Amino acid sequence: MSHQAGSETTKSTAAKRLLAPGDGLRQWWDGLGRPQKWLFGIVGFGLLALLPLYPPGFIDTPGISFGGTMAQFVMIAIIAIGLNVVVGQAGLLDLGYVGFYAVGAYTVALLTSPDSPWNKMGATGFFSKDWAWLSCVPIAMAVTALAGLILGTPTLRLRGDYLAIVTLGFGEIIRLLADNLSDVTNGSRGLNQIAYPRVGESERLPNGVFSAGNSSGDANYGTWWFWLGLLLMIGILLLVGNLERSRVGRAWVAIREDEDAAEVMGVNTFRFKLWAFVIGAGIGGLSGALYAGQVQYVAPTNFNIINSMLFLVAVVLGGQGNKLGVIFGAFIIVYLPNRLLGVELFGVNLGDLKYLFFGLALVVLMIFRPQGLFPVRQQLLAYASSAKKLLSKADDSKAAA
Amino acid sequence: MLMAANINFNVDGLINGFWQLTIDGLSWGAIYALVAVGYTLVFGVLRLINFAHSEIFMLGMFGTYFCLDVILGFTPSGNAYNKGVLLTIVYLAIAMIFAMLVSGSAAVGLEFIAYRPLRRRNARPLTFLITAIGMSFVLQEFVHFILPQLIKGYGGSNAQQPILLVQPKAQFTVFGATVSNVTLVIVVSALVLAVATDIAINRTKFGRGIRAVAQDSTTATLMGVSRERIIMTTFLIGGLLAGAAALLYTLKVPQGIIYSGGFLLGIKAFSAAVLGGIGNLRGALLGGLILGVMENYGQALFGTQWRDVVAFVLLVLVLLIRPTGILGESLGKARA
């Protein structure tokens, strides 16, 4: 009898483990001390950084530069982290996130592209050629955060499902503005020759390692942008992680779980929702600035509303609320289409079918696993680790007795 | 200002063309209104923004095209067919019924495949919305990439070769504005369908069921209303109207039959539903007409390229000033 019960529990835990691939990893991670966590984190990100230099055969993307794919991945990962603050942490469905991405990209483009009337780069301009991109990044983040504030202030008082549609409209309005205000944005022709960091200039690479001219080998400009993006992503991760563990993060979770209850408990819901919205917008702007720098060209078609949905897929797939999970989600949505590029099945290019697959994945996931592949764990947020220790001690004593 | 160069304030154009703009706007508004009914009914019953409704409309356009092309045997050509008034009306009616069947069954299928399993699991509202977005992807990309493999010459990245059944021609003038035959067909058929839907919701037994579930689904179930059947009917009605709207739209925009052709119209129709008061049937009809007309005024005032911006700004303004819409929200309470 007892034997049978035992086998049943092992079976159910095996099934559970299959459904929650992150649980074992998380348990191991929780058992580590703080210095160990830092050590493993540094080693892990170091290995990730080395990936494009020594791409293992089974991961490599034959159809397209692997460094470029990784650069794209890290940009989408930053977006996913930002969107995760809005959707996963605060529970606000934002369908127009691509609008913030566009604002960030266009801010950099308008300030540094020679096609733009507001170009501040050049011999007499405010920015020097070498530092133009880097100095535009904080400006882009600030402008985007301001856009978030302007959009959020009136709309965050609305019900959740209305917010989704208003943000959708906002994303579309931004794209239409970029298309229509052709005196400033050059319309559908877009803005060319956007600034990028000038580092490592040499005979072979007169414009530095970040220029599109550095296109051969494993350490091409995509790889360099990946490294730069990875550094920024780690910074954003630390920032967002600290916010999550603070009073702000607890307020977000409270709002997500039950807005009325949070309000009754004295959480200023509107203010914290606005915070989430603005911080998320700023992070989106950062990613947009990265994009503008890497591609050195922005046009309205790059900011179609369908990209917003794709960002949302990354967050939902990875697990809303779990910032490492959404990075994994971002990896999937960037890597799979690039990997499948050029692979044909029944005369259809599998790389083209990405939206079909992601749509199916969303539908199936929502039915069978709405919390995503790596769901956020419900944990004691107040008094974090001390409370956990106290509880586990109580559990131990109970087990001993 | 630099930016002002792209926005004009052509007040004269608006005043001179006022009646013409109104009439054309009404024909757009009639289409928005029919699609908006689908959003509003589903929202009233399930509290769900059926994001994939725009794709139901898109499938209706393809249904129309398929019927004209394969069943009725019109080949796409640059010239309009001239079959005489009576015969044209018969052909249009057949195509409309076919489009309605396609959209209606697609809507019911959508409900069955995507939303019903979620209801059984008591999913959160956000889960429903994300599923709707996913289904919207699936349906669009199905037409984009899979349909051309199944039926040669259908779907794909390009719009269908237009089949012109009705050549737009001025019929008579009202207040100096010409009314074309296309406008006439659109407005009259939309009016008939709107009245029929209003009667179905407000006077029939099924309509009473829909209103009951919208008002309080638990109590309605206790009173012997089959909630699942009501939900299915709601999706069916929305789908049927979207199919009819799809045919009318292809009369107005024959070159618009493309996989992505429903998206923008869907958002606008949703805006129309919110404008009139989402969940409220008559609100959706009124909101559709208002949106169509306002869009035309805005286009005349600011320039053609700002047409879509006008619709979105209107949506944002309505939500800010009167989130419950012009006629208020409740499907149940509208005619309790």
Side-chain angles (χ1 to χ4, degrees):
Chain A
M1 187 69 194
S2 66
H3 173 74
Q4 202 179 355
S7 76
E8 243 165 50
T9 47
T10 50
K11 206 190 286 172
S12 72
T13 51
K16 252 182 212 161
R17 204 169 291 161
L18 211 70
L19 270 173
D23 275 5
L25 203 67
R26 187 180 279 150
Q27 247 166 24
W28 168 78
W29 182 253
D30 282 342
L32 297 177
R34 205 160 173 74
Q36 278 169 305
K37 278 184 187 174
W38 274 96
L39 189 72
F40 275 110
I42 289 168
V43 171
F45 277 115
L47 287 178
L48 190 62
L50 287 178
L51 206 57
L53 287 189
Y54 311 101
F58 63 97
I59 279 185
D60 205 358
T61 47
I64 196 167
S65 152
F66 186 65
T69 304
M70 292 306 276
Q72 214 181 338
F73 149 63
V74 81
M75 275 187 267
I76 304 294
I78 291 176
I79 286 198
I81 296 167
L83 187 59
N84 180 44
V85 171
V86 183
V87 177
Q89 291 289 321
L92 309 164
L93 190 57
D94 185 348
L95 295 183
Y97 201 68
V98 74
F100 298 128
Y101 186 52
V103 169
Y106 263 97
T107 306
V108 175
L110 285 171
L111 287 174
T112 65
S113 163
D115 300 336
S116 145
W118 296 343
N119 175 21
K120 293 279 179 279
M121 204 171 70
T124 56
F126 178 73
F127 298 120
S128 79
K129 206 174 177 188
D130 292 352
W131 293 95
W133 183 82
L134 200 61
S135 28
C136 281
V137 169
I139 299 176
M141 286 182 78
V143 169
T144 320
L146 189 69
L149 189 71
I150 292 171
L151 177 70
T153 312
T155 53
L156 284 173
R157 296 181 196 278
L158 297 172
R159 273 209 321 250
D161 32 14
Y162 280 1
L163 182 74
I165 298 299
V166 173
T167 50
L168 188 71
F170 163 78
E172 196 64 8
I173 286 177
I174 292 288
R175 188 183 67 79
L176 287 166
L177 284 180
D179 215 344
N180 289 345
L181 295 174
S182 45
D183 286 359
V184 183
T185 62
N186 210 10
S188 55
R189 276 161 298 160
L191 295 166
N192 262 307
Q193 298 172 37
I194 296 165
Y196 50 90
R198 307 274 176 155
V199 180
E201 296 175 359
S202 64
E203 289 267 302
R204 195 174 68 80
L205 302 165
N207 291 325
V209 290
F210 284 103
S211 73
N214 177 17
S215 57
S216 59
D218 281 331
N220 56 18
Y221 79 118
T223 307
W224 281 91
W225 278 103
F226 167 59
W227 287 336
L228 179 61
L230 199 64
L231 276 180
L232 291 171
M233 186 181 90
I234 292 169
I236 294 292
L237 269 180
L238 291 175
L239 175 84
V240 172
N242 280 329
L243 273 175
E244 269 174 26
R245 284 187 292 274
S246 72
R247 194 168 77 99
V248 182
R250 292 197 295 276
W252 285 341
V253 173
I255 292 168
R256 178 186 71 201
E257 294 303 322
D258 189 334
E259 193 169 336
D260 296 333
E263 185 94 61
V264 170
M265 288 297 161
V267 176
N268 186 342
T269 53
F270 175 69
R271 211 178 93 199
F272 283 107
K273 283 200 291 189
L274 196 58
W275 265 116
F277 210 68
V278 169
I279 290 169
I283 295 173
L286 169 68
S287 184
L290 263 177
Y291 172 81
Q294 194 214 341
V295 183
Q296 290 154 34
Y297 171 68
V298 294
T301 44
N302 302 350
F303 305 104
N304 273 334
I305 208 80
I306 195 145
N307 289 312
S308 259
M309 310 298 166
L310 209 58
F311 302 156
L312 191 71
V313 174
V315 172
V316 172
L317 202 70
Q320 300 167 43
N322 180 358
K323 51 192 185 305
L324 292 177
V326 302
I327 293 176
F328 181 75
F331 182 75
I332 289 184
I333 67 158
V334 173
Y335 175 74
L336 277 187
N338 281 329
R339 170 82 207 199
L340 294 176
L341 207 70
V343 181
E344 298 235 341
L345 190 73
F346 303 121
V348 184
N349 188 340
L350 284 183
D352 282 346
L353 292 182
K354 60 177 173 182
Y355 292 113
L356 183 67
F357 286 140
F358 292 141
L360 278 177
L362 273 189
V363 174
V364 172
L365 211 64
M366 283 303 109
I367 292 175
F368 294 107
R369 198 173 163 78
Q371 67 272 46
L373 290 177
F374 300 98
V376 68
R377 185 187 28 167
Q378 299 299 335
Q379 57 180 347
L380 287 165
L381 286 162
Y383 313 114
S385 49
S386 54
K388 220 184 300 166
K389 248 178 236 158
L390 217 68
L391 277 178
S392 62
K393 214 181 273 170
D395 274 351
D396 288 345
S397 60
K398 214 183 278 171
Chain B
M1 269 297 286
L2 261 168
M3 289 167 85
N6 292 304
I7 311 177
N8 40 2
F9 290 95
N10 186 1
V11 182
D12 283 350
L14 178 61
I15 292 170
N16 292 336
F18 184 78
W19 288 109
Q20 189 67 57
L21 290 168
T22 312
I23 301 252
D24 288 343
L26 283 179
S27 71
W28 276 110
I31 296 170
Y32 294 151
L34 289 181
V35 182
V37 170
Y39 283 105
T40 230
L41 287 181
V42 168
F43 189 89
V45 170
L46 284 180
R47 305 273 132 201
L48 157 73
I49 297 174
N50 183 10
F51 205 84
H53 192 60
S54 53
E55 268 50 68
I56 301 296
F57 169 84
M58 182 268 293
L59 289 176
M61 290 202 292
F62 277 89
T64 302
Y65 192 83
F66 182 82
C67 182
L68 289 178
D69 179 29
V70 176
I71 298 176
L72 297 176
F74 291 98
T75 42
S77 69
N79 305 325
Y81 286 91
N82 193 358
K83 293 278 181 189
V85 178
L86 208 63
L87 210 55
T88 305
I89 289 177
V90 171
Y91 281 136
L92 285 182
I94 294 173
M96 181 181 275
I97 289 169
F98 189 80
M100 286 170 86
L101 287 179
V102 169
S103 288
S105 43
V108 172
L110 170 74
E111 199 279 319
F112 201 77
I113 294 170
Y115 300 139
R116 181 165 294 196
L118 294 182
R119 272 205 308 285
R120 218 169 269 153
R121 281 155 212 265
N122 270 331
R124 297 186 341 177
L126 202 64
T127 310
F128 276 96
L129 198 51
I130 292 169
T131 302
I133 292 168
M135 281 312 287
S136 178
F137 267 19
V138 170
L139 292 175
Q140 262 193 40
E141 294 305 299
F142 172 80
V143 173
H144 192 175
F145 290 112
I146 309 292
L147 190 65
Q149 308 291 320
L150 300 177
I151 311 175
K152 197 125 190 71
Y154 277 75
S157 305
N158 298 321
Q160 303 297 120
Q161 276 279 331
I163 297 177
L164 293 169
L165 208 53
V166 185
Q167 179 71 45
K169 201 166 64 186
Q171 296 292 312
F172 53 86
T173 55
V174 187
F175 301 116
T178 55
V179 179
S180 75
N181 45 5
V182 170
T183 307
L184 202 64
V185 168
I186 291 174
V187 172
V188 169
S189 11
L191 211 62
V192 170
L193 286 165
V195 170
T197 314
D198 194 64
I199 290 173
I201 299 291
N202 287 326
R203 299 253 187 273
T204 65
K205 200 174 135 219
F206 255 123
R208 198 155 64 221
I210 290 176
R211 280 180 289 137
V213 173
Q215 210 166 13
D216 184 339
S217 78
T218 318
T219 313
T221 315
L222 289 175
M223 296 296 139
V225 178
S226 163
R227 183 161 178 259
E228 291 300 304
R229 221 160 90 197
I230 289 296
I231 289 170
M232 200 172 235
T233 323
T234 311
F235 273 89
L236 181 68
I237 294 175
L240 291 176
L241 291 179
L247 174 106
L248 300 178
Y249 180 79
T250 56
L251 289 182
K252 205 166 175 56
V253 192
Q255 70 282 8
I257 309 176
I258 187 170
Y259 74 98
S260 56
F263 181 74
L264 199 60
L265 193 129
I267 298 178
K268 285 185 188 169
F270 178 79
S271 310
V274 174
L275 190 65
I278 194 156
N280 182 331
L281 175 67
R282 287 176 185 177
L285 298 171
L286 182 70
L289 293 179
I290 291 178
L291 186 72
V293 173
M294 293 299 270
E295 222 180 42
N296 255 15
Y297 293 160
Q299 179 181 346
L301 193 60
F302 301 116
T304 322
Q305 72 271 33
W306 297 103
R307 187 184 168 88
D308 298 335
V309 180
V310 171
F312 290 125
V313 170
L314 198 66
L315 168 70
V316 174
L317 285 182
V318 169
L319 286 178
L320 295 182
I321 297 164
R322 192 173 155 81
T324 51
I326 297 167
L327 293 186
E329 277 195 329
S330 169
L331 182 68
K333 282 172 201 147
R335 255 191 72 94

